[in-house]
Amino acid sequence: MAIDFGDLKVYERMTQDPRFEDAYQGCLSCGTCESLCPAGQFYDYNPREVVEATGRADEAELRNWLENKIWYCAQCCSCKFRCPRGNSAADLVMILRDIAVEKGWAKEALEKYTRILKTILTVGNQLSPDMIAPDFFPDWGPRVAEMSKHKKEWRAELGIPGLMPIDRSWAVPAHVIKELLDIWKLSGAMDRVEATNPFLVELAWDNIEEALEDEKQAAEASHT
Amino acid sequence: MENVVVIGGGPAGLKAAAELRSLGLDVALVEKAGVLGGTPVQEKFALLAPELRPAEEVVGALVKAVQQDGVQVHLNSTVTAVAGQGKDFTLTVQNGKGEERLQAGAVIIATGYEHFDPSVKPEYGYGVFPDVITSAQLEGMLSDGKVVRPSNGQVPKKVAILQCIGSRDAQVERKYCCRVGCVVASKQAVELRQKYPDMQVYIFYMDIRTYGRGFEELYWKAQDDFGVRFIRGRGAEVRRRGDELLLKAEETLKARASETPFDMVVLTVGMGPSEGTKAMASLFGLPVAEDGFVEPADRMLAPVSTKAAGVFVAGTALGPKDIEDAALEGAAAALRAAAYLKGGK
Ligand code: SF4
Ligand code: SF4
Ligand code: SF4
């Protein structure tokens, strides 16, 4: 995807991020970050490049990263905790990702995460047991695969009310999700989601209205 | 009183003591260990860079000068207290037998350094994998005439030397360069290749820093005459597979991460202030800099003087350096101490 950068000064914009000061100190070009980077093993990706491009305020290279490479990082932070200069390629990538999201350039990259985002916005947590299916994890082996078919029964057997469902990790009450949505709205997170996927935001508010209504009715029913 | 106590019997302290004698002053030399010579003797340095002269020959000459010049030597001794000031110090010295007092008009602190302990950085497997050793251990093996893998007693076929371990590293709060590691590694690689022509020797480095006279030439020689392979990239992590070690590093000039098998990994360990240096700094109330070494009165203009009148400092107590520079500072401190006793500053 070709991005129209307009008059964006990527380096300048990065330096305005509060994380920048800790993320970049100068670089020894030692390669420790790249040696340990799991993304570097699979993609044409080298965290040292984004650090050095930052050090040179290399607009062309930083734009190049914004186009694509920032989405390869697994945010494992190996680079951050071993860098002898105390840099964090992980955080530089995160700053660039935020720029991409804010500008609406992240649509394509984040499309595959729509389901996760939707889950967070509607049920209040990200992973649900039914997402973790044997087809995705062939290394599980037959025994675990067989067990996982009966997640629902296993979890019910636990007898812990919040942990019964399998379409979410635990059941978050509607009024708590509403609070989360309000916090995300105030903090600007919802604007970011909107820039990437406006449909999701609409869906979240519709969903919470219904859920609150259900909650209210359920409460009334239990009182009468 | 025309009497100087030198604390520390390494190259700086030995040179200081000998020079003070040549100026006609009485000198007592206090050394913690049971032998003179300092770290080069205790850690059995082999050949010295860049001239490839036996350490024994060089340090031996310094020791001999002290022994012949009538320096009063106190071995197995440490200074535990100091009283007085100006030109009238009384030092309490503890040895195996008890305590004694030494009078001094001036004091020279030459208490040296200590190698970085690489087990602080577990990613290199030091202390876990027997074939990961320090440059100091390799030096001892070279002195003993046999370099073998501790795991099986065999001569290694492929050796990696990793530079800057415990130097230039904010993760262990040591930002400074060890200054000698690059020439020492070049020298060790030359020695290995001389002794075992079939051995492959790789040096993983970020920058080769060969500032001293003859250092760069030795680095060139390692490349030109001995086929030592220099890879630009910091060794990042060592793990074990079977009986070999796997080293992760990025070959930065190719922008390519690699994992390479070796039989032995040598960590070129940096220098930090020794316990003795820390203890003397606190005993004499000397400021230490951010790097932990003693801060002299003025790094450029009074590099071997301190803020305390009559207290001088020399050698690696002031920061990493090679034997030549340490001895030079010893001589400079001797001159400053003598001038001080003669009524100058
Ligand atoms: S955080 Fe990203 S850049 Fe850093 S090591 Fe992990 S995958 Fe690589
Ligand atoms: S680990 Fe740190 S100093 Fe080394 S290349 Fe990466 S960012 Fe630069
Ligand atoms: S002298 Fe060489 S090995 Fe030692 S810290 Fe400096 S660059 Fe690293």
PDB file of all heavy atoms in Angstrom, chain B residues 201-233:
ATOM      1  N   VAL B 201      40.100 -18.794  14.415  1.00  0.00           N
ATOM      2  CA  VAL B 201      39.858 -17.822  15.483  1.00  0.00           C
ATOM      3  C   VAL B 201      39.073 -16.630  14.924  1.00  0.00           C
ATOM      4  O   VAL B 201      39.483 -16.004  13.947  1.00  0.00           O
ATOM      5  CB  VAL B 201      41.171 -17.337  16.114  1.00  0.00           C
ATOM      6  CG1 VAL B 201      40.881 -16.375  17.262  1.00  0.00           C
ATOM      7  CG2 VAL B 201      42.003 -18.516  16.618  1.00  0.00           C
ATOM      8  N   TYR B 202      37.947 -16.361  15.552  1.00  0.00           N
ATOM      9  CA  TYR B 202      37.071 -15.260  15.143  1.00  0.00           C
ATOM     10  C   TYR B 202      37.016 -14.226  16.269  1.00  0.00           C
ATOM     11  O   TYR B 202      36.932 -14.591  17.444  1.00  0.00           O
ATOM     12  CB  TYR B 202      35.642 -15.754  14.919  1.00  0.00           C
ATOM     13  CG  TYR B 202      35.471 -16.619  13.693  1.00  0.00           C
ATOM     14  CD1 TYR B 202      35.907 -17.944  13.715  1.00  0.00           C
ATOM     15  CD2 TYR B 202      34.870 -16.121  12.551  1.00  0.00           C
ATOM     16  CE1 TYR B 202      35.748 -18.747  12.589  1.00  0.00           C
ATOM     17  CE2 TYR B 202      34.704 -16.923  11.425  1.00  0.00           C
ATOM     18  CZ  TYR B 202      35.145 -18.234  11.450  1.00  0.00           C
ATOM     19  OH  TYR B 202      34.995 -19.021  10.358  1.00  0.00           O
ATOM     20  N   ILE B 203      37.040 -12.958  15.899  1.00  0.00           N
ATOM     21  CA  ILE B 203      36.844 -11.906  16.900  1.00  0.00           C
ATOM     22  C   ILE B 203      35.581 -11.124  16.529  1.00  0.00           C
ATOM     23  O   ILE B 203      35.472 -10.591  15.428  1.00  0.00           O
ATOM     24  CB  ILE B 203      38.063 -10.962  16.974  1.00  0.00           C
ATOM     25  CG1 ILE B 203      39.293 -11.749  17.448  1.00  0.00           C
ATOM     26  CG2 ILE B 203      37.773  -9.784  17.912  1.00  0.00           C
ATOM     27  CD1 ILE B 203      40.553 -10.918  17.592  1.00  0.00           C
ATOM     28  N   PHE B 204      34.622 -11.108  17.430  1.00  0.00           N
ATOM     29  CA  PHE B 204      33.373 -10.350  17.219  1.00  0.00           C
ATOM     30  C   PHE B 204      33.513  -9.002  17.915  1.00  0.00           C
ATOM     31  O   PHE B 204      33.677  -8.942  19.125  1.00  0.00           O
ATOM     32  CB  PHE B 204      32.185 -11.129  17.775  1.00  0.00           C
ATOM     33  CG  PHE B 204      31.829 -12.330  16.946  1.00  0.00           C
ATOM     34  CD1 PHE B 204      32.547 -13.502  17.068  1.00  0.00           C
ATOM     35  CD2 PHE B 204      30.793 -12.278  16.026  1.00  0.00           C
ATOM     36  CE1 PHE B 204      32.236 -14.620  16.292  1.00  0.00           C
ATOM     37  CE2 PHE B 204      30.469 -13.381  15.246  1.00  0.00           C
ATOM     38  CZ  PHE B 204      31.192 -14.550  15.376  1.00  0.00           C
ATOM     39  N   TYR B 205      33.416  -7.935  17.149  1.00  0.00           N
ATOM     40  CA  TYR B 205      33.711  -6.601  17.687  1.00  0.00           C
ATOM     41  C   TYR B 205      32.702  -5.578  17.191  1.00  0.00           C
ATOM     42  O   TYR B 205      32.032  -5.790  16.179  1.00  0.00           O
ATOM     43  CB  TYR B 205      35.118  -6.175  17.257  1.00  0.00           C
ATOM     44  CG  TYR B 205      35.182  -5.865  15.772  1.00  0.00           C
ATOM     45  CD1 TYR B 205      35.117  -4.546  15.315  1.00  0.00           C
ATOM     46  CD2 TYR B 205      35.270  -6.882  14.834  1.00  0.00           C
ATOM     47  CE1 TYR B 205      35.133  -4.266  13.959  1.00  0.00           C
ATOM     48  CE2 TYR B 205      35.280  -6.604  13.481  1.00  0.00           C
ATOM     49  CZ  TYR B 205      35.208  -5.304  13.048  1.00  0.00           C
ATOM     50  OH  TYR B 205      35.201  -5.026  11.710  1.00  0.00           O
ATOM     51  N   MET B 206      32.619  -4.453  17.903  1.00  0.00           N
ATOM     52  CA  MET B 206      31.808  -3.327  17.413  1.00  0.00           C
ATOM     53  C   MET B 206      32.700  -2.303  16.725  1.00  0.00           C
ATOM     54  O   MET B 206      32.385  -1.759  15.690  1.00  0.00           O
ATOM     55  CB  MET B 206      31.093  -2.644  18.575  1.00  0.00           C
ATOM     56  CG  MET B 206      30.048  -3.487  19.235  1.00  0.00           C
ATOM     57  SD  MET B 206      29.120  -2.496  20.424  1.00  0.00           S
ATOM     58  CE  MET B 206      30.268  -2.374  21.766  1.00  0.00           C
ATOM     59  N   ASP B 207      33.814  -1.995  17.368  1.00  0.00           N
ATOM     60  CA  ASP B 207      34.853  -1.130  16.801  1.00  0.00           C
ATOM     61  C   ASP B 207      36.156  -1.740  17.285  1.00  0.00           C
ATOM     62  O   ASP B 207      36.210  -2.226  18.400  1.00  0.00           O
ATOM     63  CB  ASP B 207      34.796   0.302  17.357  1.00  0.00           C
ATOM     64  CG  ASP B 207      33.412   0.888  17.320  1.00  0.00           C
ATOM     65  OD1 ASP B 207      33.010   1.324  16.242  1.00  0.00           O
ATOM     66  OD2 ASP B 207      32.748   0.914  18.375  1.00  0.00           O
ATOM     67  N   ILE B 208      37.177  -1.714  16.461  1.00  0.00           N
ATOM     68  CA  ILE B 208      38.483  -2.136  16.944  1.00  0.00           C
ATOM     69  C   ILE B 208      39.205  -0.870  17.409  1.00  0.00           C
ATOM     70  O   ILE B 208      39.412   0.056  16.637  1.00  0.00           O
ATOM     71  CB  ILE B 208      39.287  -2.862  15.844  1.00  0.00           C
ATOM     72  CG1 ILE B 208      38.662  -4.228  15.559  1.00  0.00           C
ATOM     73  CG2 ILE B 208      40.751  -3.030  16.275  1.00  0.00           C
ATOM     74  CD1 ILE B 208      38.734  -5.236  16.696  1.00  0.00           C
ATOM     75  N   ARG B 209      39.510  -0.839  18.691  1.00  0.00           N
ATOM     76  CA  ARG B 209      40.103   0.371  19.274  1.00  0.00           C
ATOM     77  C   ARG B 209      41.535   0.065  19.665  1.00  0.00           C
ATOM     78  O   ARG B 209      41.791  -0.552  20.698  1.00  0.00           O
ATOM     79  CB  ARG B 209      39.283   0.812  20.473  1.00  0.00           C
ATOM     80  CG  ARG B 209      37.899   1.206  20.034  1.00  0.00           C
ATOM     81  CD  ARG B 209      37.088   1.751  21.154  1.00  0.00           C
ATOM     82  NE  ARG B 209      35.975   2.512  20.613  1.00  0.00           N
ATOM     83  CZ  ARG B 209      35.014   3.042  21.341  1.00  0.00           C
ATOM     84  NH1 ARG B 209      35.047   2.903  22.641  1.00  0.00           N
ATOM     85  NH2 ARG B 209      34.058   3.726  20.794  1.00  0.00           N
ATOM     86  N   THR B 210      42.452   0.487  18.833  1.00  0.00           N
ATOM     87  CA  THR B 210      43.863   0.182  19.049  1.00  0.00           C
ATOM     88  C   THR B 210      44.607   1.499  19.099  1.00  0.00           C
ATOM     89  O   THR B 210      45.276   1.886  18.151  1.00  0.00           O
ATOM     90  CB  THR B 210      44.377  -0.704  17.906  1.00  0.00           C
ATOM     91  OG1 THR B 210      43.933  -0.155  16.670  1.00  0.00           O
ATOM     92  CG2 THR B 210      43.851  -2.118  18.021  1.00  0.00           C
ATOM     93  N   TYR B 211      44.472   2.184  20.227  1.00  0.00           N
ATOM     94  CA  TYR B 211      44.949   3.569  20.329  1.00  0.00           C
ATOM     95  C   TYR B 211      46.452   3.647  20.596  1.00  0.00           C
ATOM     96  O   TYR B 211      47.086   4.625  20.285  1.00  0.00           O
ATOM     97  CB  TYR B 211      44.189   4.290  21.460  1.00  0.00           C
ATOM     98  CG  TYR B 211      44.647   3.830  22.827  1.00  0.00           C
ATOM     99  CD1 TYR B 211      45.530   4.612  23.585  1.00  0.00           C
ATOM    100  CD2 TYR B 211      44.244   2.599  23.327  1.00  0.00           C
ATOM    101  CE1 TYR B 211      45.984   4.151  24.819  1.00  0.00           C
ATOM    102  CE2 TYR B 211      44.694   2.149  24.554  1.00  0.00           C
ATOM    103  CZ  TYR B 211      45.564   2.928  25.294  1.00  0.00           C
ATOM    104  OH  TYR B 211      46.022   2.472  26.484  1.00  0.00           O
ATOM    105  N   GLY B 212      47.029   2.640  21.208  1.00  0.00           N
ATOM    106  CA  GLY B 212      48.414   2.757  21.677  1.00  0.00           C
ATOM    107  C   GLY B 212      49.426   2.591  20.565  1.00  0.00           C
ATOM    108  O   GLY B 212      49.110   2.070  19.487  1.00  0.00           O
ATOM    109  N   ARG B 213      50.634   2.988  20.839  1.00  0.00           N
ATOM    110  CA  ARG B 213      51.684   2.848  19.838  1.00  0.00           C
ATOM    111  C   ARG B 213      51.925   1.366  19.549  1.00  0.00           C
ATOM    112  O   ARG B 213      52.138   0.580  20.477  1.00  0.00           O
ATOM    113  CB  ARG B 213      52.972   3.481  20.357  1.00  0.00           C
ATOM    114  CG  ARG B 213      54.019   3.576  19.277  1.00  0.00           C
ATOM    115  CD  ARG B 213      55.177   4.425  19.722  1.00  0.00           C
ATOM    116  NE  ARG B 213      56.087   4.628  18.617  1.00  0.00           N
ATOM    117  CZ  ARG B 213      57.292   5.175  18.741  1.00  0.00           C
ATOM    118  NH1 ARG B 213      57.707   5.578  19.929  1.00  0.00           N
ATOM    119  NH2 ARG B 213      58.051   5.330  17.699  1.00  0.00           N
ATOM    120  N   GLY B 214      51.825   0.998  18.295  1.00  0.00           N
ATOM    121  CA  GLY B 214      52.047  -0.396  17.920  1.00  0.00           C
ATOM    122  C   GLY B 214      50.793  -1.271  18.001  1.00  0.00           C
ATOM    123  O   GLY B 214      50.815  -2.418  17.575  1.00  0.00           O
ATOM    124  N   PHE B 215      49.721  -0.732  18.553  1.00  0.00           N
ATOM    125  CA  PHE B 215      48.502  -1.548  18.695  1.00  0.00           C
ATOM    126  C   PHE B 215      47.862  -1.845  17.331  1.00  0.00           C
ATOM    127  O   PHE B 215      47.508  -2.973  17.023  1.00  0.00           O
ATOM    128  CB  PHE B 215      47.453  -0.838  19.572  1.00  0.00           C
ATOM    129  CG  PHE B 215      47.763  -0.813  21.052  1.00  0.00           C
ATOM    130  CD1 PHE B 215      49.012  -1.153  21.548  1.00  0.00           C
ATOM    131  CD2 PHE B 215      46.772  -0.441  21.950  1.00  0.00           C
ATOM    132  CE1 PHE B 215      49.275  -1.110  22.918  1.00  0.00           C
ATOM    133  CE2 PHE B 215      47.015  -0.406  23.317  1.00  0.00           C
ATOM    134  CZ  PHE B 215      48.265  -0.736  23.802  1.00  0.00           C
ATOM    135  N   GLU B 216      47.701  -0.780  16.548  1.00  0.00           N
ATOM    136  CA  GLU B 216      47.045  -0.956  15.246  1.00  0.00           C
ATOM    137  C   GLU B 216      47.851  -1.934  14.385  1.00  0.00           C
ATOM    138  O   GLU B 216      47.304  -2.776  13.678  1.00  0.00           O
ATOM    139  CB  GLU B 216      46.888   0.399  14.542  1.00  0.00           C
ATOM    140  CG  GLU B 216      46.205   0.363  13.179  1.00  0.00           C
ATOM    141  CD  GLU B 216      44.683   0.129  13.229  1.00  0.00           C
ATOM    142  OE1 GLU B 216      44.111   0.106  14.340  1.00  0.00           O
ATOM    143  OE2 GLU B 216      44.094  -0.054  12.159  1.00  0.00           O
ATOM    144  N   GLU B 217      49.177  -1.822  14.481  1.00  0.00           N
ATOM    145  CA  GLU B 217      50.040  -2.706  13.696  1.00  0.00           C
ATOM    146  C   GLU B 217      49.815  -4.173  14.084  1.00  0.00           C
ATOM    147  O   GLU B 217      49.838  -5.054  13.229  1.00  0.00           O
ATOM    148  CB  GLU B 217      51.521  -2.338  13.904  1.00  0.00           C
ATOM    149  CG  GLU B 217      51.927  -1.011  13.248  1.00  0.00           C
ATOM    150  CD  GLU B 217      51.717   0.211  14.132  1.00  0.00           C
ATOM    151  OE1 GLU B 217      50.766   0.206  14.958  1.00  0.00           O
ATOM    152  OE2 GLU B 217      52.481   1.180  14.008  1.00  0.00           O
ATOM    153  N   LEU B 218      49.572  -4.390  15.373  1.00  0.00           N
ATOM    154  CA  LEU B 218      49.342  -5.765  15.810  1.00  0.00           C
ATOM    155  C   LEU B 218      48.005  -6.285  15.279  1.00  0.00           C
ATOM    156  O   LEU B 218      47.879  -7.441  14.873  1.00  0.00           O
ATOM    157  CB  LEU B 218      49.381  -5.864  17.339  1.00  0.00           C
ATOM    158  CG  LEU B 218      49.201  -7.273  17.903  1.00  0.00           C
ATOM    159  CD1 LEU B 218      50.289  -8.217  17.416  1.00  0.00           C
ATOM    160  CD2 LEU B 218      49.183  -7.241  19.429  1.00  0.00           C
ATOM    161  N   TYR B 219      47.027  -5.392  15.252  1.00  0.00           N
ATOM    162  CA  TYR B 219      45.707  -5.742  14.694  1.00  0.00           C
ATOM    163  C   TYR B 219      45.864  -6.097  13.207  1.00  0.00           C
ATOM    164  O   TYR B 219      45.326  -7.100  12.723  1.00  0.00           O
ATOM    165  CB  TYR B 219      44.760  -4.569  14.939  1.00  0.00           C
ATOM    166  CG  TYR B 219      43.502  -4.490  14.125  1.00  0.00           C
ATOM    167  CD1 TYR B 219      42.710  -5.609  13.867  1.00  0.00           C
ATOM    168  CD2 TYR B 219      43.065  -3.254  13.630  1.00  0.00           C
ATOM    169  CE1 TYR B 219      41.533  -5.492  13.133  1.00  0.00           C
ATOM    170  CE2 TYR B 219      41.899  -3.138  12.909  1.00  0.00           C
ATOM    171  CZ  TYR B 219      41.136  -4.261  12.647  1.00  0.00           C
ATOM    172  OH  TYR B 219      39.980  -4.138  11.929  1.00  0.00           O
ATOM    173  N   TRP B 220      46.635  -5.298  12.490  1.00  0.00           N
ATOM    174  CA  TRP B 220      46.868  -5.589  11.065  1.00  0.00           C
ATOM    175  C   TRP B 220      47.569  -6.941  10.898  1.00  0.00           C
ATOM    176  O   TRP B 220      47.255  -7.726  10.027  1.00  0.00           O
ATOM    177  CB  TRP B 220      47.730  -4.491  10.417  1.00  0.00           C
ATOM    178  CG  TRP B 220      46.991  -3.206  10.214  1.00  0.00           C
ATOM    179  CD1 TRP B 220      45.881  -2.785  10.876  1.00  0.00           C
ATOM    180  CD2 TRP B 220      47.332  -2.162   9.283  1.00  0.00           C
ATOM    181  NE1 TRP B 220      45.509  -1.536  10.433  1.00  0.00           N
ATOM    182  CE2 TRP B 220      46.373  -1.142   9.460  1.00  0.00           C
ATOM    183  CE3 TRP B 220      48.346  -1.991   8.341  1.00  0.00           C
ATOM    184  CZ2 TRP B 220      46.403   0.035   8.707  1.00  0.00           C
ATOM    185  CZ3 TRP B 220      48.377  -0.817   7.595  1.00  0.00           C
ATOM    186  CH2 TRP B 220      47.410   0.187   7.779  1.00  0.00           C
ATOM    187  N   LYS B 221      48.534  -7.142  11.782  1.00  0.00           N
ATOM    188  CA  LYS B 221      49.297  -8.383  11.719  1.00  0.00           C
ATOM    189  C   LYS B 221      48.389  -9.605  11.931  1.00  0.00           C
ATOM    190  O   LYS B 221      48.517 -10.623  11.251  1.00  0.00           O
ATOM    191  CB  LYS B 221      50.358  -8.342  12.822  1.00  0.00           C
ATOM    192  CG  LYS B 221      51.414  -9.400  12.758  1.00  0.00           C
ATOM    193  CD  LYS B 221      52.523  -8.982  13.713  1.00  0.00           C
ATOM    194  CE  LYS B 221      53.299 -10.151  14.222  1.00  0.00           C
ATOM    195  NZ  LYS B 221      54.620  -9.754  14.700  1.00  0.00           N
ATOM    196  N   ALA B 222      47.447  -9.457  12.876  1.00  0.00           N
ATOM    197  CA  ALA B 222      46.515 -10.552  13.128  1.00  0.00           C
ATOM    198  C   ALA B 222      45.745 -10.887  11.853  1.00  0.00           C
ATOM    199  O   ALA B 222      45.480 -12.048  11.552  1.00  0.00           O
ATOM    200  CB  ALA B 222      45.552 -10.176  14.255  1.00  0.00           C
ATOM    201  N   GLN B 223      45.401  -9.848  11.088  1.00  0.00           N
ATOM    202  CA  GLN B 223      44.680 -10.074   9.833  1.00  0.00           C
ATOM    203  C   GLN B 223      45.624 -10.572   8.733  1.00  0.00           C
ATOM    204  O   GLN B 223      45.352 -11.570   8.071  1.00  0.00           O
ATOM    205  CB  GLN B 223      44.042  -8.768   9.345  1.00  0.00           C
ATOM    206  CG  GLN B 223      42.886  -8.289  10.198  1.00  0.00           C
ATOM    207  CD  GLN B 223      42.231  -7.043   9.627  1.00  0.00           C
ATOM    208  OE1 GLN B 223      42.897  -6.184   9.044  1.00  0.00           O
ATOM    209  NE2 GLN B 223      40.929  -6.928   9.800  1.00  0.00           N
ATOM    210  N   ASP B 224      46.754  -9.853   8.566  1.00  0.00           N
ATOM    211  CA  ASP B 224      47.642 -10.121   7.428  1.00  0.00           C
ATOM    212  C   ASP B 224      48.370 -11.454   7.556  1.00  0.00           C
ATOM    213  O   ASP B 224      48.410 -12.246   6.629  1.00  0.00           O
ATOM    214  CB  ASP B 224      48.717  -9.031   7.303  1.00  0.00           C
ATOM    215  CG  ASP B 224      48.132  -7.671   7.016  1.00  0.00           C
ATOM    216  OD1 ASP B 224      46.910  -7.599   6.773  1.00  0.00           O
ATOM    217  OD2 ASP B 224      48.882  -6.670   7.048  1.00  0.00           O
ATOM    218  N   ASP B 225      48.974 -11.670   8.722  1.00  0.00           N
ATOM    219  CA  ASP B 225      49.884 -12.819   8.847  1.00  0.00           C
ATOM    220  C   ASP B 225      49.257 -14.023   9.528  1.00  0.00           C
ATOM    221  O   ASP B 225      49.793 -15.111   9.468  1.00  0.00           O
ATOM    222  CB  ASP B 225      51.135 -12.418   9.650  1.00  0.00           C
ATOM    223  CG  ASP B 225      51.859 -11.237   9.022  1.00  0.00           C
ATOM    224  OD1 ASP B 225      51.615 -10.981   7.822  1.00  0.00           O
ATOM    225  OD2 ASP B 225      52.644 -10.558   9.725  1.00  0.00           O
ATOM    226  N   PHE B 226      48.145 -13.796  10.242  1.00  0.00           N
ATOM    227  CA  PHE B 226      47.630 -14.913  11.039  1.00  0.00           C
ATOM    228  C   PHE B 226      46.198 -15.311  10.700  1.00  0.00           C
ATOM    229  O   PHE B 226      45.636 -16.194  11.341  1.00  0.00           O
ATOM    230  CB  PHE B 226      47.774 -14.599  12.538  1.00  0.00           C
ATOM    231  CG  PHE B 226      49.210 -14.601  12.978  1.00  0.00           C
ATOM    232  CD1 PHE B 226      49.953 -13.426  12.980  1.00  0.00           C
ATOM    233  CD2 PHE B 226      49.830 -15.789  13.323  1.00  0.00           C
ATOM    234  CE1 PHE B 226      51.284 -13.432  13.352  1.00  0.00           C
ATOM    235  CE2 PHE B 226      51.164 -15.803  13.691  1.00  0.00           C
ATOM    236  CZ  PHE B 226      51.900 -14.618  13.705  1.00  0.00           C
ATOM    237  N   GLY B 227      45.620 -14.642   9.711  1.00  0.00           N
ATOM    238  CA  GLY B 227      44.294 -15.072   9.252  1.00  0.00           C
ATOM    239  C   GLY B 227      43.223 -15.065  10.326  1.00  0.00           C
ATOM    240  O   GLY B 227      42.296 -15.863  10.292  1.00  0.00           O
ATOM    241  N   VAL B 228      43.356 -14.170  11.291  1.00  0.00           N
ATOM    242  CA  VAL B 228      42.300 -14.053  12.301  1.00  0.00           C
ATOM    243  C   VAL B 228      41.089 -13.404  11.633  1.00  0.00           C
ATOM    244  O   VAL B 228      41.227 -12.469  10.856  1.00  0.00           O
ATOM    245  CB  VAL B 228      42.781 -13.192  13.494  1.00  0.00           C
ATOM    246  CG1 VAL B 228      41.652 -12.996  14.500  1.00  0.00           C
ATOM    247  CG2 VAL B 228      43.991 -13.842  14.150  1.00  0.00           C
ATOM    248  N   ARG B 229      39.898 -13.935  11.901  1.00  0.00           N
ATOM    249  CA  ARG B 229      38.703 -13.455  11.209  1.00  0.00           C
ATOM    250  C   ARG B 229      37.944 -12.469  12.096  1.00  0.00           C
ATOM    251  O   ARG B 229      37.501 -12.822  13.181  1.00  0.00           O
ATOM    252  CB  ARG B 229      37.811 -14.631  10.839  1.00  0.00           C
ATOM    253  CG  ARG B 229      38.555 -15.552   9.893  1.00  0.00           C
ATOM    254  CD  ARG B 229      37.868 -16.871   9.718  1.00  0.00           C
ATOM    255  NE  ARG B 229      38.783 -17.777   9.018  1.00  0.00           N
ATOM    256  CZ  ARG B 229      38.459 -18.991   8.639  1.00  0.00           C
ATOM    257  NH1 ARG B 229      37.264 -19.455   8.876  1.00  0.00           N
ATOM    258  NH2 ARG B 229      39.353 -19.748   8.023  1.00  0.00           N
ATOM    259  N   PHE B 230      37.842 -11.259  11.627  1.00  0.00           N
ATOM    260  CA  PHE B 230      37.164 -10.211  12.393  1.00  0.00           C
ATOM    261  C   PHE B 230      35.746 -10.045  11.858  1.00  0.00           C
ATOM    262  O   PHE B 230      35.553  -9.790  10.685  1.00  0.00           O
ATOM    263  CB  PHE B 230      37.932  -8.896  12.290  1.00  0.00           C
ATOM    264  CG  PHE B 230      39.227  -8.893  13.073  1.00  0.00           C
ATOM    265  CD1 PHE B 230      40.372  -9.477  12.551  1.00  0.00           C
ATOM    266  CD2 PHE B 230      39.283  -8.332  14.352  1.00  0.00           C
ATOM    267  CE1 PHE B 230      41.559  -9.494  13.280  1.00  0.00           C
ATOM    268  CE2 PHE B 230      40.464  -8.337  15.084  1.00  0.00           C
ATOM    269  CZ  PHE B 230      41.606  -8.925  14.548  1.00  0.00           C
ATOM    270  N   ILE B 231      34.767 -10.200  12.744  1.00  0.00           N
ATOM    271  CA  ILE B 231      33.364 -10.077  12.353  1.00  0.00           C
ATOM    272  C   ILE B 231      32.796  -8.870  13.085  1.00  0.00           C
ATOM    273  O   ILE B 231      32.854  -8.802  14.319  1.00  0.00           O
ATOM    274  CB  ILE B 231      32.538 -11.310  12.797  1.00  0.00           C
ATOM    275  CG1 ILE B 231      33.211 -12.604  12.344  1.00  0.00           C
ATOM    276  CG2 ILE B 231      31.104 -11.192  12.313  1.00  0.00           C
ATOM    277  CD1 ILE B 231      32.968 -13.014  10.947  1.00  0.00           C
ATOM    278  N   ARG B 232      32.224  -7.919  12.300  1.00  0.00           N
ATOM    279  CA  ARG B 232      31.707  -6.730  12.956  1.00  0.00           C
ATOM    280  C   ARG B 232      30.295  -6.981  13.484  1.00  0.00           C
ATOM    281  O   ARG B 232      29.350  -7.087  12.724  1.00  0.00           O
ATOM    282  CB  ARG B 232      31.700  -5.522  12.022  1.00  0.00           C
ATOM    283  CG  ARG B 232      31.607  -4.266  12.835  1.00  0.00           C
ATOM    284  CD  ARG B 232      31.282  -3.009  12.086  1.00  0.00           C
ATOM    285  NE  ARG B 232      30.981  -1.995  13.068  1.00  0.00           N
ATOM    286  CZ  ARG B 232      29.844  -1.952  13.740  1.00  0.00           C
ATOM    287  NH1 ARG B 232      28.892  -2.815  13.519  1.00  0.00           N
ATOM    288  NH2 ARG B 232      29.655  -1.030  14.673  1.00  0.00           N
ATOM    289  N   GLY B 233      30.189  -7.085  14.787  1.00  0.00           N
ATOM    290  CA  GLY B 233      28.902  -7.340  15.430  1.00  0.00           C
ATOM    291  C   GLY B 233      29.188  -7.822  16.833  1.00  0.00           C
ATOM    292  O   GLY B 233      30.166  -8.525  17.064  1.00  0.00           O
TER     293      GLY B 233
END
